[in-house]
Every structure is written in C-alpha cells, then in structure tokens.
Amino acid sequence: MPAPLVFIIIPLLAAPMVYGLYRARGWLDVWAAGGVTILLAVFARFMPFAAEPFIQDTFAFWGRAFVLEAIDRETLVNLFVTATLIFLAAGLNRQGRFFLPAGLAVLSFLVAALSVRPFLFAAIFFQIAAALSVFMLADGRLVTTRGALRYLSFATLGVPFILFTGWLLDSYAAQPEEPRWLAQAALTLLIGLFILLGVAPFHSWLPVVAENSPPLATAFVLGVARAPLVLFLVRLLNTYDWLGMNMGVSTLLAAAGVMMIIIGGVFAVSQRNLSRCIGYAALINLGLILLVVGLEREIGAQAALADVMMRGLGIWLWAAGLDTLRRATSGGEVTFAALAGLGWRYPFAVAALAIGVLSFIGAPLMAGFPARWNILQLLAAHNPWLAVLVVAAMLSVGVVVMRGLASMTTPASPDEVIAPQESRWNIVALSAGMLLIVALGAFPQIVLGA
Amino acid sequence: MLALIPLGMLLLGAGLMAASLWPRFTALAGAFAITSATLALLGLLVLAWWVPITVTVSDWSSTHLLPGSLQLQVAWEDWVLGVSVLSLMLATLLTGLARPGGRRAAPRAAIFLLTFSSLGAIFAHNLLTVILAWAGFDLIYFFTLILLTRGPGVQPQAVLHLTFNSLGTLLALAASFFAPASFYYALLITLAAVFRMGLFPLHLGWPIEANVRQGLGVLLRLLPATIALDAVANLTGLGFAPDFAPWLTVFGLLTSVLGAAQFWINADARQGLTFVVIALSGLTLLAGVWGGPSARLSVFSLILALVLGGGLVFLAHGYDAQQNWTMLLQGIGVASLVGLPTTVGFFGWQHLLLQLYQAGQPFAWFTFGGVLLTLVLLGGGLWRCIFTVGEPVEGGPIGASGYISGLSFLVLMTLALGLAWNSVAEAFAQPLWGWAALIADGNWVVFAALLLAIGLSVGLWRWEGRFRGSAEGLSGAVQRLFQLNWLYRLGWRLFGFIAILIDNLAQVLEGEGAIVWALVVVFTVFLLFAN
Amino acid sequence: MTDVWLWLPILALVGAGLTAMVLTLTVDWRITFAALALQYIFAAILLNQAVAWQVAAVEAIVGILVVIILTLTGRQSNFGRTASSPVVQLPGQLARIGPIEFQTNLPFRLVAILLAAVITWFMVVVGDYAVPGLPLALNLAGVWLIILGLFGLGFTDEPMNAGSALLTVITGFEMIYAPLEPSLLVVALLAVVNFAVALAASYLALLRFAERELAE
C-alpha cells in the first residue's frame, strides 16, 4: 500500500460522502469530515512511510512518482490537524453545503502537490486545489464572489511559469554549455512562486479573499493551503543548488519579503475591517518567511516551517470568533461600526477573535510567538533593524485589533451587562482554543517537540 | 521549583475562587482566599533561606529550533518586592472582609491572577520572560477592567491602556535585537518603561474612571505601576543615556507635578489613587535619572512606598470617629508616601532631593523645587484623603479584625523596611548610610527642606479652604493640561486622515483593476531589467 | 487538397486571433461561449502541427466539454441577463449612440488589443522570446492568447467573463507547453485544470446571478 495514496485517496473518497450527509442530523457531515482528517493526522504522525512489504513510500502513476519523505511528516500533521479544527468549527456555525467536501478534496490535492516528483508539477495540483477552494470561498451566504475569483485567477496564473521552468531545466540538461537556460529557469520559477505566494504586486487576493469570503474558508486557505507552498519553496531551494546557492536569488527573496512586510504593515494600519486585516497579517507572515529563507537558507527554512506550524491555531480561533460575530450583524458585515458593542452579547467570540489575530501575527504570550521570536533573533543577527521592521508591522495589525476591541467593548448603553449569547459548545470550543494558544505560547515544546 | 510555590499558591487561590461559585463553597470563599494568600506569602518568606534562586519554567531550547527559555529568579530585591506585593494582596483580602456584599468570587479571582502575573514579571530573569510576563499581565488586566469595572469611558480607557502597555512590550521585544550594552537597547527599554508607567502625556491610559470594588481598585492601580517601575529600577543598572536624561527629567517632573496637582484638585480624594500613582511614577523616574550610584536603591524605596503606603491609605476607609485610633495606621501610610523618616519611602525622597541639590545646576535646582512642590501637593491631598469620612467598617467582628490586621500588616512592613533599610542596602550591594550623613556637610539643607515640605503639606490640608478658593482658576488650567483631550483629538484626526489616504490607495491597487496594476508593474520591471 | 492543409494552420492562427479579440471585446455570454468553442478548435488545429493528433484531439474535446459546462450554466442563469438588465454589465458601464449600445470601456479594450498585438509581435518576431523548436504560428497564437486573456481578466470582475479570460490564458499556455512536455499525466492534469476552472467560474457566475436577481 503506497503511503501517498492513503493521504490522497481517502479525503477524495470521503468528499462525496460528506456532501451527501449535509442535511443529516447531529452534525454527521462535520463529524465525518473531522474524523477523516484526524485519522489522517494520526496516520501522518505515527504511520511509517516505508515499511516493506506492507507500506511503500512511492506511488507511480503515468510516468510520474508520488513520494512521501520524513520531512513531509510534520507538514502533513499540521495540515490535517488544522483542517480538523476548521471542520469541527464548521459545526458550531453551519457553513455552505460545499465547505466540507471541497475542503477534503483540497486536502487531497495539497498532499498530491507535496508528494509529486519532479517537484515542479506540484504547481498544477496547487492550482486544482485553488479551483476547488472556490467552492468554500463563495458559499452564497456572503453575496460577493470577488475574493474567490481573485484567488482563482492568481493561482492559475502562477502555474504556467513553474511548469515552463521544467522545460527550461530539461533544455539546460541537454545543453549545459548554455547558462542562459538556467538563468531563465530561475526567473520563471521565481515569478511563478511569487505569484503563488502572493508577493507584491500579486498580493491583492489576500485581503480581498479575507474580506469577501466566510472566515472559516479564509482560515482554510490562509492557514492550511499555505503550509505546503512554504514547504514547496523550501524544497526547491534545497534541491536545486543553482537556485538555493544563488546569491541573487537569495537577495531577491529577501527583498520581496521586505516589500511584503512593508506593504502589509502600511495597508493594515488603515483598516476598519477585521476580515481584511487578517489578509494583511497573512501577507506580513509570508513576507517574513521569504525574508528569513532568503537570508538563512537552512536554518531559515527550519524556522519558517516552525512558524507555519504554529499559525494554524491562531487563524482558526480568529475565524471561529468572527464567524460567530458576523452572523449577529446585518448583512454579515465585519467593520468596526457593524460590530460595535457586540462584546457584551458575544464576549467569548470577541476575545477569541482578538487572541486569534494576535497569535497569528506572533504577539507575545500567544502560540505564534515562540517561532516568531526565533525568526526575529535570526533576522537580528543579520541586521537588527530588519527585526524592528517586522515588529512594526506586527504593531500595525495590533493597532487594528485594539481599535476593533474598542468598538466591540463599548456598550450601547451604560446599564448594559454581559449576557453571552453564544451556544454552550461555542463557549467551550472558543475557551479551549484561547487557553491552548496561551499554553503553547509559554510551552511551545509541546508541539515543536525535541 | 521552590520559587514556583508562591506562584502555585496564587493559581490555586484563583482556582478556589472559581470553585466557590458552587453554592456549597460560597460561604467559604473568604477563608479560601485568605488561606491561599497567606500560604503564598509564607512560601515566599520561607524562600529567603535559598535566595537567590533560579528556576527554568519552560525550556524552549529543548526543541533545538527555538533559542531561550522562560526563567524566574528570586534575588534579594525581587524577594523584598515580592513580599511587599503579596502583603498588599493579603491586606486587600483581609480588609475586604470589612466590605461585605456584592460579587466577590470574580474580583478575588482577578486579584489572584493579577498578583500572579505581577510576581511573574518581578521575578523574570531574562528579557524573554519579562516580555511574556508583561503580555500576560496586560491580558489579565484588560479582561478584569472590561468584565469587572463600570464607569463612563472605561472600555476605551481599557483599550488605550492595553495599547500603551502592549507598545511597551513590543519595544522591549525590539530591544532584544540589540546588544545589552548598546545605546539602542537602553533607549528601547527606556521607552518601554515610559509607555508602561504612563509618563506624561501617556498617562491617559490609566483607568481613572473605573468604578470597582475598593480592594480590586487599589490593586488595579498599584500593580501595573509596580511592574513598570520595577523596569525603571532594572534600567538604572544600564544607566540612562545622557542625551535623554533632560527629556526624561522634564516629562518626569511634569508627570509628578501634574499628578500631584490633579490629586489635590480632585473633589473626592479617596478616588485619587490613580493620580498618586502617576505622581510617584514621575518621581521614581527622576530618582532613576538623578540617583547616581544609589539610583536603584532610591527607586526601590519609592516603589515600596507606593505599594505599602498607597495600600495603607487607600485600602483604609478614611476617617472613622468610632475608631479614630486607626488614623495612626493610615497616617503611617501617608508618612511613607511623603518620605517621613523611619518609613520605607524616606530614603527615596531624601536621596533624590540630595542628588538634585548636589548637582549644582540651575536645571537640577528647578527640578528640586518641582519635587518639593509635588511633595506638598501630594501630602496635602493624602492628609485630606485619610481624614475624609469613608464607608463604615462592616462585617461584624470578623470584618473589623480583618480590617485592622490587614492594615497592621502593611504598617509592619512599612516600618520594618524603613528601620532595616541598611539591610536592604546590603542586598543591593550599596554603601550603607547612616543618620549622621543626613546632617553632614550641607545635607541638612535637604533634610530640612524635606521636613518643611511635609509640614507645608499638613498646612495645605489644614487650611485647605483658603488655598482651594484662590487656586480655582489654576486648577482648571491644570485639569485641561492633564487631560490633554486636544492633543489626543489632534493625533487621532491626523491618524484618521493618513488612514483614509492609505485605504484609498489600497482600494485602488487591490480593487477591480488589481490584475491590470500587476501587469503594469511586471511590464515596468521587465523594461527596466530586460538586459 | 494539399493547399488546404498548408493554409489550415494560417487560417487557424487567424481564427484563434479573432476569437481572442472577440472574447476581449464582448461581455455577452452567448458570443463568448461561441468564440471560446471556436478558439479551442483553432487551438487544436494549431497544436496538431507539433503534437500527436490524439493529444490535439483531446485538447479540442476538453475545450468543447468546457464550453458545454459553461453553456449549461449560462442557460440556467439566462446567460447572465436579469429582468432589468439585458446585458451582463453593471450600471454606468453602458453607453448608447443611436441604436447601438456598447460598453463605456470599449475604446480602452480596443487599445488593449492594439497593445497586445505590439507586445506579441515584439516578443515573438523581433525579440528573442519565442520558444525555440516551435512553429511560428504556435508561438504567435500562444503569446497572443495569453496576453489578451490577461487583459480580459483585468477588465472584468464578472465571473463568467473572467473565467473565459482565464481559460484563454490556459489555452495559450497549452499551445506553447504541450509540444514541450511529453508526459501524458501532465496533459491529463492540464485538462483537469481546464475543467476545474470552468466549474469554478460557472459556480461563481451562478452565485453572482442569484445575487443580482435578489438585489432586484
């Protein structure tokens, strides 16, 4: 039994089953989807990828191989655990009928992207995953389709560049005396990566998706679907020396990262929308990853992957909190004005939203901080002002959170008392999430291990 | 792990308060609270055998990915400050027995959690631990304000307070990027302390309007100040950059004078703890800037005066004609805050004034005058405060004994530390001082000025009516200057204008034409780098 | 007969170019679908010069199936026309001169086509950016479709038109890439990509149509 096949086929087969359970009582579809992903997370953590003759780490299909390596294990666990949290949160506030099945199918293609060889073909699987994500990002409750369309467009546009790189590399292999093939390959690969990752000017889908899509779907795209992309980048740098050891490429990555951090920080501070600000926070995070990978290839890659691992809980909590709140506003708006005073009726959701965003941007005491601390120390070793720049960007998102809190905690009348209207399960889940985030902020070794 | 015992007791106390929500345990809530607090204090007192102690709470380096670890260290100065904070907490709970009725479990749980996080910040051994402890304290503080306090504008004030403190925390984080001996490290840590202590004009984050149970209200004002001023104390080891000393002096003086003036002007002196904290914060900063080799000791003295003296004055119920002997206890609190000899605050005041006097510069003498003015105004307000009739002591014999024992405990600490100040100085490895030094050389001038100022403060209180009438016009100006609404409105409008510009730019670049813009940029880059 | 086979690629090139222009200029779904269908056929004819006829046939079949998916969606949503708006266009974006109604950004679209022509000519004929080993017609058609598809994507937020533009870009890319990549899996995956984009665009178009109907 090929290990890659397990992680690709099971979610794909589960998707139509979960779709069929949509109207079933007792959240059956949610439990089914969550059960599948938690099972796969357990497999990813404990199942050996190669244990002949029972389990093989390679699966060949039409001339291409799908391989799972040890380095993929943590990313797979992170993928499925974060997906589990998001799927279970979908039970607290019902999502569209396609949310869970599309999510499962996306997971399947993300694993395919992680495991396909040569790596470059991962781009096609990323694109298919993006197309399937559209069914999550536009669920008919929020009336705008702009976010989903923008995401689909950019995800599709990045693919040709990456695929074309494969041909350029083959040309170079046939004519090693022509260095221009390699230079062109580096250029096309970087362009494709920049488009997929959302480097400016290709970043506009991040805030647009965040603003125009359901929070849980946004969390899935920004929290789950980004992790394999980061691993993809790291893998490319490690595999191709002409890319990873190229000083020009490293400088370009670092410069792109700095630009993303500056753009994210500048645009975030002006926001009055708690959805859009998470898009800019994601932009800052991705920029930070590019920066640290560009400056320190190996250690930076490890730091970046650790950073990605700790992000999922924060964005999940943000999404769960915001999803509860937007259902209490007219038209599902999540501007400061629309959310004014809701803290008195939805205190847990408001707290979860704030703590989720703060964890996502790596604020102290939150789960995202330890890995962020590590990256900041790495940057400071190169140039302390780079690290200060990142902290300034974190602060700009923090300002939005504070302004939102000021709006949400100001009561409509002086006599108003706190009267939580969240369901009991909502309260339990959000409280557990907040406690876990704070606990991991102090004890990250629980997740990051030895 | 011994160092964790007091902290563990505090967490246990918070848990017991949650358990007391169960009807079976409601009646025992007070006993649970006092027992836990007492155990925490005893645990810390017993720790004196092993001081200094270092304990690793969370070892991040075990992951091979993350540098650093969370460490707590209890050195002698931390021990003394920790004992004072726990004494304040215990006194709060004891005196709380004299204020029965209303919701108790939640405020008590908040007291435990606030004290827990305060001790974490005081005992933090490295910058990473300080950052996390500050963040933890801010979170607990914010939720306490939002959930348990009432009053107009409390919520925006809570958010402002959280914002300033978080900014301070991030500044400390930024400081960690620079070498500890470097200029930028000292600058950023200084700025962090400035934001956290609410130096003028950042003082508006303090919850002036918060209406809450008396004991919790005292801790809500004193604990954040303690943490911030502890950071100032640690800063004295680095030294304040010479370039910034004048600015810190100016703003420190403004903070202390305006805080003291606002306290004296305030109609209800018993609601003026926030202003006392502001005033003493400014003074403590001045002590740090001008204190010379003994700056740390001087700062420490003022912190203890604030914690113990402030607790004595504001946990008490004011003038009680039935038990007017309790005025003695409150009077010792005032004495400590204004620096009367034999109290814990004396050294701080005396040393600050001495350093300013001996500096020999007009700027220092001006500051000297400002400090004395602060003392007069502060003292006048404090005397008025303790002689204002407050709520009666309730709760029967239990309430009365709790009230007296709580106050007595703080008095004991105040006097013990004051009289044993040489022992404290030894712990700081500072030169011992003697009473003879007070009148040696020209120092008697300073000592006399201090006593005179204290006397004037008594006079200000005694003949308050005469002074208050003539100071009415001035008080309006002071209030306007203190509140600085115009500055904040201006800043907010400027921010709003810039935010609109940025938002419009973002809408243009990321709106419908985003892909076209992306193509334009790509094309431009291509033309620039085509070769 | 032989002349026809010689001229067929040129006709297909012209046809692909014209269909791309039509897709850039129009917002009417019916015209879009027809143009898209023809575009796929012309693309397959052009591809036949460089790949096995089976692969070209697969491309054509996939394209036709994609257009069928889009057409079915169009029929379900009255080709994007609501009771108050016979054309899929936002208010303020239509102008009338006499009996003719056209979009206000029509001149801009015409200029964009001109610009695309210049860029294509520069990249393929003048510059050194043509893919070596491919027939000139494939290079020209591929680049032309990609550029016009990108412009089309930038002009509209409407899912069906944007989806068509995206499919145009993919088609242009396939015309360049398919001869270079012999792997059957990649060909199949690119077909899946086409279907995925078509399905996604259809879904979004239906949602957008439902939103507009609700608003009215």
Side-chain angles (χ1 to χ4, degrees):
Chain A
M1 174 65 148
L5 202 60
V6 170
F7 297 102
I8 294 173
I9 289 298
I10 290 180
L12 209 53
L13 290 178
M17 180 188 76
V18 166
Y19 178 77
L21 290 172
Y22 180 64
R23 289 284 181 209
R25 303 171 92 182
W27 298 359
L28 269 181
D29 57 337
V30 170
W31 291 118
V36 165
T37 47
I38 200 66
L39 187 69
L40 290 172
V42 169
F43 282 168
R45 179 69 182 84
F46 297 108
M47 184 179 90
F49 289 161
E52 298 288 354
F54 303 106
I55 304 174
Q56 299 84 39
D57 61 355
T58 305
F59 166 63
F61 184 71
W62 279 10
R64 297 288 173 228
F66 294 82
V67 183
L68 281 180
E69 299 168 358
I71 190 177
D72 299 322
R73 192 177 291 279
E74 281 180 2
T75 304
L76 282 178
V77 172
N78 178 50
L79 204 70
F80 288 116
V81 167
T82 311
T84 305
L85 290 174
I86 292 174
F87 289 164
L88 292 178
L92 298 173
N93 293 304
R94 291 301 270 167
Q95 305 296 304
R97 63 169 54 242
F98 293 115
F99 182 84
L100 294 170
L104 286 168
V106 167
L107 287 172
S108 174
F109 283 99
L110 287 177
V111 175
L114 266 180
S115 54
V116 71
R117 301 290 184 270
F119 305 125
L120 296 173
F121 294 119
I124 302 182
F125 291 108
F126 282 128
Q127 198 284 334
I128 297 172
L132 291 169
S133 300
V134 162
F135 293 89
M136 303 171 78
L137 293 173
D139 71 350
R141 291 163 196 254
L142 278 180
V143 293
T144 174
T145 56
R146 176 187 280 188
L149 183 63
R150 188 70 61 84
Y151 180 55
L152 177 67
S153 304
F154 278 108
T156 306
L157 291 178
V159 172
F161 291 96
I162 297 177
L163 290 180
F164 204 64
T165 306
W167 175 74
L168 289 169
L169 289 177
D170 290 341
S171 303
Y172 175 69
Q175 293 180 291
E177 70 279 6
E178 290 279 349
R180 69 185 176 106
W181 294 121
L182 216 51
Q184 286 179 357
L187 183 65
T188 53
L189 184 57
L190 281 176
I191 292 175
L193 274 173
F194 283 3
I195 294 175
L196 284 182
L197 285 170
V199 176
F202 311 112
H203 69 282
S204 64
W205 66 269
L206 280 154
V208 173
V209 161
E211 184 181 11
N212 295 286
S213 303
L216 281 176
T218 304
F220 191 88
V221 167
L222 296 183
V224 174
R226 294 295 97 191
L229 261 178
V230 173
L231 186 59
F232 178 58
L233 167 69
V234 167
R235 190 166 273 160
L236 286 172
L237 292 173
N238 286 340
T239 304
Y240 300 118
D241 281 346
W242 51 267
L243 197 69
M245 307 292 272
N246 186 327
M247 284 308 297
V249 168
S250 301
T251 307
L252 203 56
L253 284 175
V258 168
M259 194 164 54
M260 287 167 84
I261 291 169
I262 292 174
I263 288 175
V266 167
F267 283 174
V269 78
S270 65
Q271 291 310 306
R272 301 186 64 82
N273 184 313
L274 285 167
S275 281
R276 213 174 156 87
C277 85
I278 207 74
Y280 292 116
L283 186 66
I284 293 168
N285 286 345
L286 281 169
L288 187 57
I289 285 170
L290 284 183
L291 177 59
V292 76
V293 165
L295 290 178
E296 291 272 0
R297 191 165 63 92
E298 279 190 42
I299 309 173
Q302 284 184 8
L305 288 172
D307 194 70
V308 165
M309 277 184 68
M310 303 299 275
R311 294 270 154 260
L313 195 56
I315 199 168
W316 166 76
L317 199 62
W318 162 82
L322 190 63
D323 205 34
T324 303
L325 290 174
R326 77 179 177 101
R327 284 157 202 269
T329 64
S330 64
E333 279 209 31
V334 291
T335 57
F336 294 164
L339 296 174
L342 279 186
W344 294 80
R345 289 183 284 141
Y346 299 93
F348 291 91
V350 167
L353 188 157
I355 289 178
V357 177
L358 291 175
S359 180
F360 190 62
I361 61 164
L365 194 65
M366 306 299 164
F369 178 70
R372 181 58 53 95
W373 165 262
N374 181 31
I375 288 180
L376 289 172
Q377 297 304 314
L378 282 176
L379 291 180
H382 279 267
N383 185 338
W385 295 106
L386 281 177
V388 171
L389 175 70
V390 174
V391 171
M394 287 162 59
L395 176 64
S396 76
V397 178
V399 165
V400 182
V401 174
M402 294 302 154
R403 292 171 65 197
L405 273 178
S407 174
M408 289 185 286
T409 55
T410 303
S413 72
D415 304 320
E416 192 161 4
V417 294
I418 291 182
Q421 293 183 14
E422 297 106 328
S423 68
R424 192 185 310 172
W425 282 114
N426 229 322
I427 292 173
V428 167
L430 295 177
S431 304
M434 287 187 274
L435 285 172
L436 187 59
I437 276 185
V438 171
L440 287 178
F443 301 96
Q445 56 269 37
I446 297 171
V447 170
L448 293 177
Chain B
M1 301 309 281
L2 286 174
L4 295 179
I5 291 175
L7 295 171
M9 287 296 116
L10 292 173
L11 279 182
L12 176 68
L16 286 173
M17 290 308 99
S20 72
L21 290 172
W22 199 0
R24 184 181 292 188
F25 297 127
T26 304
L28 298 171
F32 283 160
I34 291 169
T35 306
S36 306
T38 307
L39 286 173
L41 179 58
L42 283 174
L44 189 57
L45 287 170
V46 165
L47 270 183
W49 271 126
W50 292 276
V51 168
I53 307 173
T54 306
V55 62
T56 299
V57 175
S58 176
D59 187 8
W60 291 11
S61 57
S62 68
T63 69
H64 86 269
L65 284 169
L66 308 173
S69 55
L70 302 185
Q71 287 187 322
L72 300 178
Q73 185 184 62
V74 185
W76 279 114
E77 54 260 40
D78 306 314
W79 185 86
V80 170
L81 189 55
V83 167
S84 303
V85 167
L86 284 175
S87 302
L88 175 67
M89 188 194 84
L90 182 58
T92 303
L93 293 169
L94 283 169
T95 55
L97 295 174
R99 297 181 287 266
R103 285 193 326 178
R104 310 302 297 275
R108 281 176 174 149
I111 286 171
F112 277 105
L113 291 174
L114 285 168
T115 311
F116 166 79
S117 51
S118 303
L119 283 189
I122 291 168
F123 295 160
H125 183 45
N126 53 31
L127 192 53
L128 176 63
T129 314
V130 166
I131 289 166
L132 261 67
W134 283 1
F137 179 84
D138 294 338
L139 205 61
I140 295 169
Y141 191 88
F142 174 76
F143 281 122
T144 303
L145 276 184
I146 293 295
L147 295 174
L148 297 179
T149 65
R150 289 292 178 269
V154 160
Q155 292 82 18
Q157 215 161 40
V159 173
L160 191 61
H161 191 259
L162 179 63
T163 305
F164 282 163
N165 280 2
S166 300
L167 190 54
T169 306
L170 287 179
L171 284 165
L173 176 61
S176 71
F177 307 144
F178 300 90
S182 68
F183 167 75
Y184 286 112
Y185 181 88
L187 171 65
L188 289 167
I189 291 288
T190 305
L191 286 174
V194 159
F195 271 94
R196 291 199 70 90
M197 62 187 262
L199 194 68
F200 182 90
L202 302 170
H203 58 283
L204 289 181
W206 283 104
I208 298 170
E209 308 285 346
N211 185 5
V212 70
R213 288 188 68 88
Q214 185 173 345
L216 179 59
V218 167
L219 289 179
L220 283 176
R221 274 85 175 186
L222 290 180
L223 289 181
T226 305
I227 294 171
L229 296 176
D230 188 44
V232 174
N234 291 330
L235 261 176
T236 56
L238 296 171
F240 293 91
D243 292 340
F244 293 104
W247 292 104
L248 291 173
T249 304
V250 167
F251 285 108
L253 192 61
L254 264 175
T255 304
S256 53
V257 170
L258 285 175
Q262 189 67 21
F263 178 53
W264 187 71
I265 287 165
N266 205 37
D268 184 1
R270 295 214 59 79
Q271 300 300 322
L273 176 57
T274 307
F275 304 121
V276 173
V277 167
I278 290 171
L280 271 176
S281 297
L283 278 169
T284 310
L285 183 62
L286 290 175
V289 174
W290 289 93
S294 296
R296 190 180 171 86
L297 195 59
S298 179
V299 165
F300 204 64
S301 161
L302 290 172
I303 297 174
L304 290 174
L306 179 62
V307 171
L308 297 170
L312 263 172
V313 173
F314 290 95
L315 284 176
H317 288 198
Y319 182 69
D320 184 353
Q322 309 286 328
Q323 294 183 295
N324 52 10
W325 64 270
T326 60
M327 302 313 297
L328 178 63
L329 304 178
Q330 299 177 61
I332 291 173
V334 176
S336 172
L337 283 166
V338 299
L340 211 61
T342 74
T343 63
V344 70
F346 168 64
F347 182 84
W349 282 98
Q350 168 70 15
H351 188 74
L352 170 61
L353 288 168
L354 195 61
Q355 293 295 309
L356 288 169
Y357 176 73
Q358 288 176 344
Q361 308 161 18
F363 182 58
W365 289 336
F366 178 79
T367 309
F368 181 90
V371 170
L372 286 177
L373 176 63
T374 301
L375 178 51
V376 172
L377 291 170
L378 192 65
L382 285 168
W383 296 121
R384 177 162 64 100
C385 179
I386 66 172
F387 281 98
T388 301
V389 175
E391 292 175 14
V393 174
E394 295 176 4
I398 294 176
S401 56
Y403 180 73
I404 299 300
S405 55
L407 293 182
S408 303
F409 198 59
L410 289 177
V411 165
L412 192 66
M413 290 289 303
T414 302
L415 293 176
L417 285 171
L419 291 169
W421 194 251
N422 275 332
S423 304
V424 176
E426 261 189 61
F428 277 78
Q430 294 286 317
L432 300 182
W433 67 281
W435 288 98
L438 285 176
I439 52 175
D441 302 325
N443 297 349
W444 63 270
V445 174
V446 173
F447 187 50
L450 177 65
L451 292 178
L452 179 65
I454 294 172
L456 283 174
S457 71
V458 174
L460 187 64
W461 158 64
R462 188 69 182 82
W463 291 285
E464 180 183 329
R466 241 179 258 177
F467 290 107
R468 198 168 281 278
S470 56
E472 245 179 53
L474 192 62
S475 71
V478 166
Q479 278 196 323
R480 273 193 301 277
L481 188 59
F482 189 83
Q483 286 163 8
L484 283 177
N485 283 343
W486 61 272
L487 182 64
Y488 277 85
R489 265 200 300 271
L490 181 66
W492 190 243
R493 277 193 194 133
L494 189 63
F495 173 80
F497 174 68
I498 294 172
I500 288 171
L501 287 178
I502 294 173
D503 198 38
N504 286 342
L505 180 64
Q507 296 288 349
V508 166
L509 294 177
E510 295 163 1
E512 278 193 35
I515 293 179
V516 175
W517 281 111
L519 292 175
V520 166
V521 170
V522 167
F523 190 57
T524 308
V525 169
F526 170 74
L527 287 177
L528 286 172
F529 296 101
N531 295 322
Chain C
M1 190 65 176
T2 314
D3 288 345
V4 172
W5 288 113
L6 281 174
W7 279 98
L8 202 54
I10 298 172
L11 286 171
L13 172 63
V14 170
L18 284 173
T19 54
M21 282 170 59
V22 167
L23 284 168
T24 306
L25 291 173
T26 188
V27 294
D28 191 326
W29 289 11
R30 292 163 296 181
I31 302 175
T32 299
F33 298 153
L36 205 55
L38 287 173
Q39 183 175 274
Y40 277 114
I41 293 169
F42 291 136
I45 294 172
L46 282 167
L47 261 179
N48 193 39
Q49 299 175 88
V51 300
W53 70 268
Q54 294 93 335
V55 174
V58 165
E59 297 286 345
I61 292 168
V62 166
I64 298 301
L65 288 172
V66 159
V67 173
I68 290 173
I69 291 172
L70 297 179
T71 309
L72 285 172
T73 305
R75 283 190 64 183
Q76 260 195 308
S77 53
N78 195 24
F79 297 101
R81 296 168 296 176
T82 59
S84 65
S85 172
V87 182
V88 182
Q89 198 62 282
L90 294 172
Q93 290 185 358
L94 285 177
R96 183 182 283 277
I97 295 181
I100 304 171
E101 197 172 60
F102 59 94
Q103 308 137 70
T104 50
N105 62 5
L106 185 64
F108 182 56
R109 290 176 185 243
L110 288 169
V111 169
I113 290 172
L114 211 59
L115 188 61
V118 169
I119 295 172
T120 305
W121 186 257
F122 172 77
M123 285 182 72
V124 178
V125 179
V126 176
D128 194 21
Y129 299 100
V131 176
L134 285 189
L136 179 65
L138 265 182
N139 269 306
L140 278 172
V143 173
W144 175 248
L145 256 58
I146 288 173
I147 293 175
L148 277 185
L150 287 174
F151 279 140
L153 204 53
F155 289 148
T156 181
D157 244 3
E158 200 283 311
M160 191 57 84
N161 290 319
S164 305
L166 211 48
L167 288 167
T168 305
V169 172
I170 295 171
T171 306
F173 170 69
E174 282 176 339
M175 290 173 72
I176 296 173
Y177 187 68
L180 306 175
E181 175 57 57
S183 166
L184 269 181
L185 178 63
V186 175
V187 171
L189 284 172
L190 285 173
V192 172
V193 165
N194 274 287
F195 283 128
V197 170
L199 281 171
S202 300
Y203 175 68
L204 293 176
L206 276 175
L207 284 182
R208 176 71 76 94
F209 177 73
E211 168 214 351
R212 286 176 58 222
E213 281 219 316
L214 263 174
E216 288 165 10

